[in-house]
Amino acid sequence: MASQTEENYLKSLFNLANEKSEVNISELATQMQVSMPTVNSMVKTLQKNEWLIYEKYKPVTLTPKGKKEAALIIRKHRLTEMFLVNKMGFGWEEVHEIAEQVEHIHAPKFFERMDEMLGYPTIDPHGSPIPDKQGRIQEINYLSLSDCKAGQTVILAALTNSSTEFLEFLNGRNLSLGTELKITSKEGYDQSIVVSYLDHSSETLSEKVCEKLLVKVLE
Amino acid sequence: MASQTEENYLKSLFNLANEKSEVNISELATQMQVSMPTVNSMVKTLQKNEWLIYEKYKPVTLTPKGKKEAALIIRKHRLTEMFLVNKMGFGWEEVHEIAEQVEHIHAPKFFERMDEMLGYPTIDPHGSPIPDKQGRIQEINYLSLSDCKAGQTVILAALTNSSTEFLEFLNGRNLSLGTELKITSKEGYDQSIVVSYLDHSSETLSEKVCEKLLVKVLE
DNA sequence: CAATTTTGTTAGATAGATCTAACAATGTAG
DNA sequence: CTACATTGTTAGATCTATCTAACAAAATTG
Ligand SMILES: [Mn+2]
Ligand SMILES: [Mn+2]
Ligand SMILES: [Mn+2]
Ligand SMILES: [Mn+2]
């Protein structure tokens, strides 16, 4: 059974491997906030457990077994976040830190019961997909708001970043998942976008914000 | 901050210290399922953190600081058990193992929210008192069923043992907290007690069982 | 009270997770 | 292509939590 530490490495590996599939030691060290030698020794451990493939001086790759293990931890994380928001009344900006701990609990029934109480959700409070019990993850191809054009109407569907600060920024502007945004204009100079929604008739969002907002285009 | 291991030692110390106040190294080793040298080195660590008082060859004693720390972990454990039973539909025989893990989560809001949702309960699903936020524990003096006499009517209020096996034994006989028991007779030879309750007109309970059942006497 | 048993301590080892310092391989930019 | 920067590895140390073997103190018992 994976230790709490190993589980956190697997999760980081899984997230960093989106698309590229390969992960550098230095990337992983940055992500995990540990030194490169620490990562070096940990990848050797993970390799012994057949969770990843490692060759000296090469980037590492998760094995199918490692991917499944990681996805199942991410499943527990996201179910927990959903439970905290929908069943315990937490704000979406408060749940990540708690889920970071709860995800390591070994009690299948606990998470099955959450799942059941939530009605088998497929996305978490930040719009990220919840892997199924087999560790399969359904990839949804949203568009980034920064790739949208003036005149389009879109629905805010997910975020590429769920830091507390960013979520509080969105809270401050009444922006939540499902909000319908009309794109009034786009500034060519700094790529900022002006949107209207709810009782906000004109809100300017910087490119930095727009690229973190994933949307479904309505028209 | 106490490690998960230290937290488990503190909890064991607190539970073993009921009444006697002092705890032997060997008792603690048995309880924690580790060797005596392991306990010996751990008590030195706990002493450095001022959670207990230790002198060579003497039994150890928790300091007030250590008692409070322990009581607050027990609070998290018992709130969790109550939440699992009352809000998530678990049976009282399923929750201890899960709570044993959840009690180590560092997230005051998480437990405050549980407390609030539960309506600030004072006892857990096994009838044990839930320490308050200051770590104060309200001692309730129940009588053991084994000390009751024929003719008395009592209400099952708590258990001195909450092992899954014992709880399943009680489930099998429809015995739950709050059940009113009429003591039909008591066998002088083996101290077994015959009770009637609900649709059970004559159930014989061995001394071993009776001493684990804590009751309030009605008449 | 002396012998034996139980309880507790010390020493030394191991495994996991981390670090720094030193060095080696790889990649990049002039 | 060489120099420099970046990336990765090795060696060796530390800290936590655990173990066994050996020994010492305390308690029990005849
Ligand atoms: Mn999260
Ligand atoms: Mn985590
Ligand atoms: Mn319990
Ligand atoms: Mn525990």
Side-chain angles (χ1 to χ4, degrees):
Chain A
M1 202 165 51
S3 71
Q4 202 153 311
T5 307
E6 288 168 332
E7 288 189 347
N8 285 332
Y9 276 93
L10 286 173
K11 231 169 35 114
S12 281
L13 278 159
F14 189 95
N15 289 326
L16 288 171
N18 265 356
E19 290 300 300
K20 307 158 295 176
S21 98
E22 293 186 331
V23 180
N24 297 320
I25 304 297
S26 70
E27 279 182 273
L28 190 49
T30 307
Q31 180 73 20
M32 292 297 298
Q33 312 217 67
V34 296
S35 67
M36 284 203 291
T38 300
V39 171
N40 184 273
S41 88
M42 182 53 76
V43 296
K44 286 172 182 170
T45 308
L46 294 174
Q47 186 195 27
K48 274 185 210 114
N49 288 294
E50 296 175 313
W51 283 314
L52 56 73
I53 289 157
Y54 163 69
E55 279 178 276
K56 257 195 187 185
Y57 298 107
K58 296 258 176 72
V60 298
T61 325
L62 281 177
T63 60
K65 186 189 162 193
K67 274 183 199 154
K68 181 176 179 180
E69 188 78 15
L72 291 175
I73 301 156
I74 292 169
R75 173 178 166 79
K76 292 195 279 180
H77 181 105
R78 295 184 178 166
L79 276 176
T80 301
E81 289 188 341
M82 204 63 180
F83 188 86
L84 291 170
V85 169
N86 286 6
K87 298 293 166 188
M88 295 187 75
F90 282 93
W92 67 348
E93 77 285 0
E94 303 178 289
V95 298
H96 179 80
E97 285 308 301
I98 304 178
E100 203 54 52
Q101 297 177 65
V102 176
E103 69 190 0
H104 303 291
I105 287 173
H106 295 289
K109 277 189 185 173
F110 182 47
F111 296 99
E112 269 162 34
R113 193 72 193 94
M114 280 189 192
D115 197 21
E116 197 182 326
M117 287 173 75
L118 290 166
Y120 311 102
T122 57
I123 55 159
D124 82 2
H126 313 111
S128 304
I130 300 176
D132 69 16
K133 282 186 196 172
Q134 279 68 49
R136 288 176 304 223
I137 201 159
Q138 138 234 29
E139 279 305 335
I140 319 163
N141 279 328
Y142 294 125
L143 206 66
S144 169
L145 181 57
S146 56
D147 296 330
C148 294
K149 294 180 182 65
Q152 286 184 308
T153 302
V154 301
I155 287 187
L156 184 53
L159 312 171
T160 57
N161 175 291
S162 310
S163 66
T164 306
E165 309 77 58
F166 183 51
L167 294 169
E168 281 172 347
F169 169 89
L170 297 177
N171 283 347
R173 282 159 186 76
N174 258 308
L175 281 166
S176 59
L177 297 192
T179 303
E180 191 173 309
L181 310 169
K182 287 189 220 309
I183 306 176
T184 312
S185 64
K186 182 163 181 179
E187 175 57 62
Y189 175 61
D190 66 357
Q191 310 297 309
S192 69
I193 283 179
V194 180
V195 292
S196 80
Y197 58 95
L198 303 174
D199 56 336
H200 295 244
S201 58
S202 174
E203 193 76 64
T204 304
L205 302 172
S206 69
E207 193 191 13
K208 207 161 183 175
V209 167
C210 290
E211 68 195 8
K212 287 173 187 152
L213 298 175
L214 298 179
V215 300
K216 279 186 291 220
V217 180
L218 281 188
E219 49 180 285
Chain B
M1 201 165 52
S3 69
Q4 201 152 312
T5 308
E6 288 169 332
E7 288 189 347
N8 284 332
Y9 276 93
L10 287 172
K11 229 167 38 115
S12 281
L13 279 158
F14 189 95
N15 289 326
L16 288 170
N18 266 357
E19 291 299 300
K20 304 157 296 174
S21 98
E22 293 184 330
V23 181
N24 297 319
I25 303 297
S26 70
E27 279 182 274
L28 190 48
T30 306
Q31 181 74 21
M32 293 296 299
Q33 312 216 66
V34 295
S35 68
M36 285 203 290
T38 300
V39 171
N40 183 272
S41 87
M42 182 53 76
V43 297
K44 286 173 182 168
T45 307
L46 295 173
Q47 186 195 29
K48 274 186 210 113
N49 288 294
E50 296 176 312
W51 283 316
L52 56 73
I53 289 156
Y54 163 70
E55 280 177 275
K56 257 194 188 186
Y57 298 106
K58 297 256 176 73
V60 298
T61 325
L62 281 177
T63 60
K65 185 189 161 193
K67 273 183 200 154
K68 182 175 178 183
E69 187 78 16
L72 291 177
I73 302 157
I74 291 169
R75 173 177 165 79
K76 293 195 280 179
H77 180 105
R78 294 184 179 165
L79 276 176
T80 300
E81 289 188 341
M82 205 61 179
F83 187 86
L84 291 171
V85 170
N86 287 6
K87 298 293 165 187
M88 295 187 74
F90 282 92
W92 67 348
E93 77 286 359
E94 303 178 289
V95 298
H96 179 79
E97 287 307 302
I98 304 178
E100 202 56 51
Q101 297 177 64
V102 175
E103 68 190 0
H104 303 293
I105 287 173
H106 295 289
K109 277 189 183 171
F110 182 48
F111 297 99
E112 270 161 33
R113 193 71 194 95
M114 278 189 194
D115 197 21
E116 198 182 327
M117 287 174 75
L118 291 166
Y120 310 102
T122 58
I123 55 159
D124 81 3
H126 314 109
S128 303
I130 299 175
D132 69 17
K133 281 185 196 174
Q134 279 68 50
R136 288 176 304 222
I137 200 158
Q138 138 234 29
E139 279 305 334
I140 319 162
N141 280 328
Y142 295 125
L143 206 66
S144 168
L145 180 59
S146 57
D147 296 329
C148 294
K149 292 179 183 66
Q152 286 185 310
T153 301
V154 301
I155 287 186
L156 183 54
L159 312 171
T160 57
N161 174 291
S162 311
S163 66
T164 305
E165 308 76 57
F166 182 52
L167 294 169
E168 282 173 348
F169 170 90
L170 298 178
N171 284 346
R173 283 161 185 74
N174 258 306
L175 281 165
S176 59
L177 297 192
T179 303
E180 191 173 310
L181 310 169
K182 288 188 219 310
I183 305 176
T184 311
S185 63
K186 183 166 181 176
E187 175 57 62
Y189 175 62
D190 65 358
Q191 310 296 310
S192 67
I193 282 179
V194 181
V195 292
S196 78
Y197 58 96
L198 304 175
D199 57 336
H200 295 243
S201 57
S202 174
E203 193 76 63
T204 305
L205 302 171
S206 68
E207 193 191 13
K208 206 160 185 175
V209 167
C210 290
E211 67 195 6
K212 288 174 187 152
L213 298 175
L214 298 179
V215 299
K216 281 186 287 222
V217 179
L218 282 187
E219 48 180 287

